Amino acid sequence: MRVVLGEDETLLRAGLAHILQADGIVVASTTADARELQQLAAALRPDLVITDIRMPPGGTDDGLRAAVAIRTSHPSTNLLLLSQHVNRQYASELLDTGAAGVGYLLKQRIADVETFCHDVRRVAAGGTVLDPDVVSIMLDRASRQHDRLHALTAREAAVLALIAQGRSNAAIAKDLAVSERAIVNHVTRIYDKLQLPPSIDDHRRVLAVIKYLELHRTRPGDQAPLNLPAPQSP
Amino acid sequence: MYRRSWSPGLRSLPVALAQLATAAVAMAAIEIVLFTREGVAPLAPIVAFPFVGLLYLAAGAVTWLRRPGNRTGALLCWCALAVLAAAAGNATIPALDGAGLITAELPIGILIHLLLAFPSGRLPDARSRWLAGGGYAVTVGLQAPRYLFAGGSAPAWLTIARQPTVVRAFTDLKQAAGLTVIALAAMLLLGRLRQASAHQRTSLTSVAAYGVATLLFLTLSANLASVMHISADTLFAAQLVVFAGVPGAFALALLRGGFARAGEIEELGAWLGAGHHDQASLRTALATALGDPSADLLLWLPEAISYVDAYGGPVVPPAGRGTVEIQAGGERVGAVSYDAALIADADIVRKAGQVIALAVQREQLTAALRASRARIAATADAERRRIAADLHDGLQGQLVVLALQAGQLAAGRVGAVGTQAAATDLRRGLETAISELRALVHGVMPALLMQRGLPAAIQDLLDHTPLPSHLDTTGASNCLPAAVESAAYLVAAEALANCVKHAGASKVSVQLARTGGQLEILISDDGCGGARAGPYGGLRGMTDRVDALGGQLHLASARGQGTQLRAEFPCG
C-alpha cells in the first residue's frame, strides 16, 4: 500500500510518515504544499492521499481543494483528510466526490496510533471513516431537519454512527457493551430500513452511511426552507 | 472663568467702564472744587449733588458688569452723567450754569425710563416707549421756557426774553404733564405686576413703589414745602436723599431679585456661538447665567435609560432640587438641575436649556460615543480575561497533571505491566486537552470564518444549533471586510444563542444578503419574542459593535411574534 502525504508542519509530517512506515505502509512521498500534492498524486498514483486541510500556498482550505481535484482526475485515489477542527460542510464536499474510500479525521486522532493505522488501511481499502465529531454533527442535524429519520431507533442510529466512523461490528459491540450478535441484528435492521439490497457486507456498510448521510445531508439550496414568521420592517 | 471666555467686545467692558468712571470722577471733582471756591450756599447739599451722580455711576457700573446683557446698568450710568450735568447748574460759570439748567430735570426723565424699562433695561412695548418719550419731552422739552424766557435768573447766552408769566405757565404745564406721565407709568407698572409671577412680584412691587414715590416726591415736594413752610435748602437736601436711594434700589432688585436674566441668557447664546465648550464649561456658563452656582448639567443617555455626568457615570437628578428637561429636535438630550429655592421660575431655566440644547446634544452624543467605546473596551477586556482564565484554570492545570503522568512513566514508577495503561491514559488526557484548546480557539475566531468566509461560518453555527434551521445566502459574497465579517458572525452567534436559551424557538432562519454597498443579516425565530436591548448584556454589545462599523441594528420582538434581528453594515 502506497501513500502520499501532505502536511505543512515538519514535525507532524515526519511523525506521520514514521507511524505509517512502522505499520508497514509505504510512504511514497511527502510534501508541505497543496499544489505539489496534486502533482505528486498525478505522478505517483498512490492508493491513498493523506493531507492536512489547511495548507500552503493559500493557507485556508487548500488541502481539501487539492484532494477534491485529485479525486476528480483520478477517481480511484482514496482520500484521508486531517484537520485541527472538523465541520459538516467539508465532510459534505468530500463525500460529494463519492463516499467510498474517503476519510475525514481530527488530527488529534493520530495519537491513538493503532486505531489511526486501522482507519488508514480501511480508507485505502475503499471504506469510509468519519470523525466521531463530524458524524455526531451530521446525525444531529439530520434528525433535526427530517422527521422520517426517526424510523431508526436511537440504538440503530448509534450503531450507524459508529459504522460511519469505520468501526467493525466487533468494535461497535465492545463500545456499546453488547454482544456482536446483537450488533449484527441492528445492522441488518438498518439495511432493511434504508432499503439496501444484500451484497458484499463491506460495500453495504459504506452504502448505509452514504444513504443515511445523503438522505439527510443538507446543502444550501437542496433543503426545504423553514416556515418562519415574516420579518417585520422596523 | 466663564466670563473671560466671552466675546472680545464684552471683554473690553470693564475698560470702558473704568474710563467712564475716571471722566465722571474728574467732572465731579471739578464741580466740587468750583462750588467750594465760589462758596455757593447751601454748600453741603450742593457739594453732595455730584456725589449722588457718582453713586449712580457706581451702581450702574456694578450692574452693567454683573449683567452685561441687561441695559439697566447702562441706564444708571446715563443717569449718572445727567445728574453730574444737572449739578453743574449750581456753578456760577455761565456755560456750566446753562448746561445745568438745560439738564436740571433730565434725571427725572431717565428715572421714568428706568422704571418703565425695569427689569431688563429695555422698553418692552410701544406704550412704554411712548411714555418714556413723553417723560423726556416733559423733563427736557418743557424745561426749555424755564431758561429761554427767564431773563436775569439764567445765563444770558440761553435767554431770549424775560417772560415770567410764560415761565410760570410752563412750570404749571410741566408739573401737570409730569404727573400725567407718572400716573400713566404707574398704571402700566400695575398692569405688569398683575402678570408677573409670584416670585418676581415682590421685587417688582418694591422697585415700582419706590420709583413712583420718588417721582411723585420730586414733582410735588416743592408744592408740599411751600404749604408746610419748609425752607428751600431743606427741601433740596430731602430731594437729594430720596433721589440718592434710587440707584441702590434698582441695582439690588436686579441683582438679588433672582429674575430678569433674559439678557444673561442671550449672552449665553452669544458665548455658545463664540467657541468650543465642553460639559464642564457649559455647566459653569449655565450656572453663571442662572445666577445659581449649584446649577448642574446632566446628559441623557438613551441606551442606558439614565442621566450621566461628564465622565459617563450614571446620575440621578437629586430630589428636592428643581429639574428641567432639555430637548433638541423633540428628543430628550439632558436636564438642568437647579436650586428651586433660589430660582422660583422654572421658565427661565427652560429658556436657558433651550439656548444650550444643541451644545448639550453634541455633548450627549459625545458621551454616548464615549460610553460605547468604553463598553467595547470593557467587552474586549472581559474576553481576554475569560480566555486567560480558561487557559489557566483548564488547560494549564490539565497539562501539569499530564506532565506529572509523563514524569512517572519516565521514572519507570508504574511497573512494566502498568506502562501501557499509563501511556494510554496520558494520550487520552492529551486528547482532552487538545479538544479543549480547539474549542477555545474556535470561540476566539472560528477557522471556517477565516478559511471560507461568512456564509460557511454561519452554516457551521447553524450545524451546531440544536434547532431546525434554514440559511439563505442568496447574493451574499465572501469578499467582505474582515471587521464586518467578524461583527456579522458575532451578531449571528449571539442571536442564535438567544434563540436557543431565551426564545424557546422551534426553528430559526438566517438570511444573508448583499445589496449595493451594504451587507444585511437577518436572524428570525418563531419563539416567544419580547426581547429587549437592555443597558448591558449581549444585545447592547452587538449594537456597539455594529455602531462602531457605521452599521445599524434593528430588533423586532413583539411578544408572541418571534424575534427578528437585522443588522446592516456598510461594506463598500
Side-chain angles (χ1 to χ4, degrees):
Chain A
M1 184 178 123
R2 291 162 67 251
V3 169
V4 166
L5 186 57
E7 166 61 57
D8 59 327
E9 285 170 60
T10 315
L11 280 177
L12 190 55
R13 188 170 65 239
L16 258 175
H18 176 74
I19 286 168
L20 294 172
Q21 281 160 345
D23 202 55
I25 298 166
V26 178
V27 178
S29 184
T30 65
T31 175
D33 182 279
R35 280 170 309 193
E36 202 187 347
L37 184 69
Q38 265 179 267
Q39 292 159 10
L40 287 173
L44 301 173
R45 305 299 304 274
D47 303 304
L48 176 67
V49 169
I50 300 177
T51 180
D52 186 8
I53 286 182
R54 197 170 67 113
M55 286 267 278
T60 60
D61 59 349
D62 300 51
L64 172 64
R65 281 185 279 129
V68 171
I70 291 168
R71 180 77 146 205
T72 310
S73 38
H74 311 289
S76 63
T77 311
N78 299 311
L79 303 171
L80 174 57
L81 276 90
L82 301 174
S83 183
Q84 294 285 14
H85 41 81
V86 289
N87 68 72
R88 187 185 58 78
Q89 294 168 80
Y90 287 2
S92 293
E93 285 169 34
L94 193 61
L95 288 168
D96 278 344
T97 68
V102 295
Y104 181 27
L105 289 174
L106 276 172
K107 268 189 187 172
Q108 71 187 69
R109 308 290 178 211
I110 302 165
D112 185 352
V113 176
E114 200 182 322
T115 311
F116 177 71
C117 287
H118 179 79
D119 289 341
V120 169
R121 289 185 181 279
R122 189 164 268 279
V123 175
T128 310
V129 174
L130 295 175
D131 196 273
D133 279 16
V134 79
V135 169
S136 90
I137 297 168
M138 291 176 107
L139 290 184
D140 282 354
R141 184 172 168 82
S143 60
R144 280 201 301 272
Q145 307 282 55
H146 301 278
D147 289 343
R148 62 198 175 99
L149 273 192
H150 297 308
L152 292 188
T153 64
R155 177 47 64 101
E156 286 160 4
V159 170
L160 184 62
L162 288 165
I163 293 174
Q165 291 167 30
R167 305 289 193 84
S168 66
N169 285 354
I172 295 170
K174 197 177 156 204
D175 248 41
L176 299 178
V178 293
S179 69
E180 198 175 335
R181 182 74 223 152
I183 297 300
V184 171
N185 288 338
H186 282 309
V187 172
T188 313
R189 275 197 299 279
I190 293 170
Y191 291 163
D192 287 348
K193 284 184 179 173
L194 296 178
Q195 295 160 359
L196 293 171
S199 78
I200 310 157
D201 186 56
D202 253 10
H203 188 49
R204 277 223 289 185
R205 291 175 81 87
V206 173
L207 278 179
V209 173
I210 298 168
K211 182 127 188 178
Y212 191 82
L213 295 180
E214 283 198 336
L215 258 179
H216 319 310
R217 196 165 77 219
T218 48
R219 272 170 296 159
D222 65 15
Q223 74 202 84
L226 295 172
N227 193 14
L228 285 167
Q232 295 166 351
S233 38
Chain B
M1 258 294 281
Y2 157 62
R3 217 177 279 282
R4 276 190 203 132
S5 62
W6 277 9
S7 53
L10 270 175
R11 260 177 269 154
S12 63
L13 179 64
V15 180
L17 285 174
Q19 289 178 358
L20 187 64
T22 311
V25 167
M27 200 166 147
I30 291 166
E31 285 177 8
I32 291 163
V33 168
L34 281 176
F35 298 155
T36 323
R37 280 184 54 183
E38 288 167 1
V40 292
L43 187 62
I46 287 176
V47 166
F49 206 168
F51 277 111
V52 172
L54 293 182
L55 205 58
Y56 270 80
L57 191 85
V62 168
T63 312
W64 204 341
L65 276 174
R66 295 277 300 274
R67 296 272 187 278
N70 193 299
R71 290 234 182 110
T72 304
L75 276 176
L76 285 170
C77 288
W78 162 228
C79 199
L81 296 178
V83 170
L84 284 173
N90 291 310
T92 46
I93 296 169
L96 289 182
D97 187 17
L101 267 173
I102 293 169
T103 57
E105 310 249 312
L106 179 59
I108 294 174
I110 298 173
L111 195 53
I112 293 172
H113 185 174
L114 256 172
L115 205 53
L116 289 169
F118 192 79
S120 70
R122 286 171 173 83
L123 296 164
D125 46 32
R127 267 180 75 202
S128 56
R129 278 193 286 275
W130 274 107
L131 265 178
Y136 284 117
V138 173
T139 53
V140 180
L142 295 184
Q143 168 75 358
R146 163 78 182 74
Y147 45 82
L148 293 176
F149 306 108
S153 66
W157 61 274
L158 268 177
T159 310
I160 41 175
R162 183 184 157 76
Q163 298 284 351
T165 45
V166 174
V167 171
R168 200 168 305 119
F170 269 97
T171 306
D172 290 345
L173 176 63
K174 187 176 70 184
Q175 193 174 41
L179 284 173
T180 312
V181 170
I182 291 168
L184 287 172
M187 279 165 62
L188 194 143
L189 291 175
L190 262 176
R192 269 194 216 162
L193 278 178
R194 249 183 255 122
Q195 286 166 3
S197 69
H199 177 74
Q200 292 185 349
R201 201 168 290 157
T202 325
S203 300
L204 272 180
T205 309
S206 48
V207 166
Y210 189 75
V212 172
T214 306
L215 285 170
L216 287 175
F217 180 73
L218 292 178
T219 315
L220 295 174
S221 54
N223 309 45
L224 211 66
S226 63
V227 173
M228 294 175 70
H229 305 291
I230 293 168
S231 75
D233 293 357
T234 316
L235 173 68
F236 179 54
Q239 284 180 336
L240 212 55
V241 167
V242 171
F243 192 63
V246 169
F250 272 86
L252 267 180
L254 188 65
L255 298 176
R256 288 287 172 83
F259 63 99
R261 295 210 162 83
E264 283 295 283
I265 288 162
E266 279 168 28
E267 270 310 321
L268 190 59
W271 172 78
L272 279 174
H276 177 78
H277 357 270
D278 54 14
Q279 194 183 356
S281 68
L282 261 179
R283 196 209 72 78
T284 314
L286 185 71
T288 312
L290 290 175
D292 172 9
S294 76
D296 202 3
L297 184 61
L298 312 174
L299 301 177
W300 178 250
L301 220 56
E303 67 261 29
I305 323 171
S306 134
Y307 287 107
V308 296
D309 59 19
Y311 307 102
V315 194
V316 178
R321 286 171 61 81
T323 307
V324 164
E325 201 174 280
I326 305 175
Q327 295 204 331
E331 301 214 352
R332 168 154 57 162
V333 293
V336 182
S337 159
Y338 64 96
D339 187 345
L342 195 68
I343 305 171
D345 185 8
D347 253 3
I348 204 81
V349 183
R350 201 162 290 120
K351 266 185 205 134
Q354 281 163 7
V355 168
I356 59 170
L358 283 179
V360 173
Q361 188 179 32
R362 198 181 52 207
E363 286 309 306
Q364 178 215 19
L365 293 175
T366 312
L369 190 66
R370 211 179 289 129
S372 149
R373 278 207 310 229
R375 280 194 304 268
I376 289 174
T379 308
D381 189 54
E383 188 69 5
R384 288 159 64 101
R385 282 164 192 270
R386 187 187 63 76
I387 293 167
D390 283 357
L391 284 171
H392 187 265
D393 302 345
L395 269 180
Q396 195 171 324
Q398 287 178 35
L399 290 174
V400 168
V401 170
L402 293 170
L404 259 171
Q405 288 181 8
Q408 299 268 26
L409 260 173
R413 287 192 194 148
V414 285
V417 186
T419 306
Q420 198 182 356
T424 307
D425 273 359
L426 184 60
R427 195 205 74 216
R428 293 218 174 99
L430 279 167
E431 282 185 31
T432 310
I434 294 167
S435 294
E436 207 160 291
L437 178 64
R438 190 174 61 240
L440 203 69
V441 171
H442 182 84
V444 174
M445 183 58 74
L448 259 183
L449 188 62
M450 293 185 285
Q451 294 181 357
R452 283 286 176 92
L454 192 57
I458 287 178
Q459 181 62 66
D460 194 46
L461 269 180
L462 290 175
D463 286 346
H464 288 88
T465 303
L467 288 175
S469 59
H470 174 66
L471 173 65
D472 181 1
T473 56
T474 325
S477 75
N478 284 327
C479 308
L480 293 167
V484 169
E485 234 172 23
S486 300
Y489 177 82
L490 286 168
V491 166
E494 180 78 30
L496 289 172
N498 286 343
C499 287
V500 175
K501 273 193 285 182
H502 307 301
S506 71
K507 47 199 166 186
V508 61
S509 108
V510 180
Q511 274 174 278
L512 205 57
R514 191 174 182 174
T515 44
Q518 181 162 295
L519 175 79
E520 187 185 303
I521 180 166
L522 172 71
I523 302 108
S524 326
D525 69 39
D526 63 350
C528 59
R532 255 176 353 101
Y536 308 102
L539 268 173
R540 178 82 255 137
M542 272 196 253
T543 311
D544 287 339
R545 264 183 179 277
V546 176
D547 271 354
L549 293 168
Q552 280 186 308
L553 197 70
H554 306 285
L555 177 70
S557 186
R559 216 158 262 293
Q561 305 264 305
T563 299
Q564 293 86 42
L565 185 74
R566 200 176 77 209
E568 295 162 1
F569 300 89
C571 57

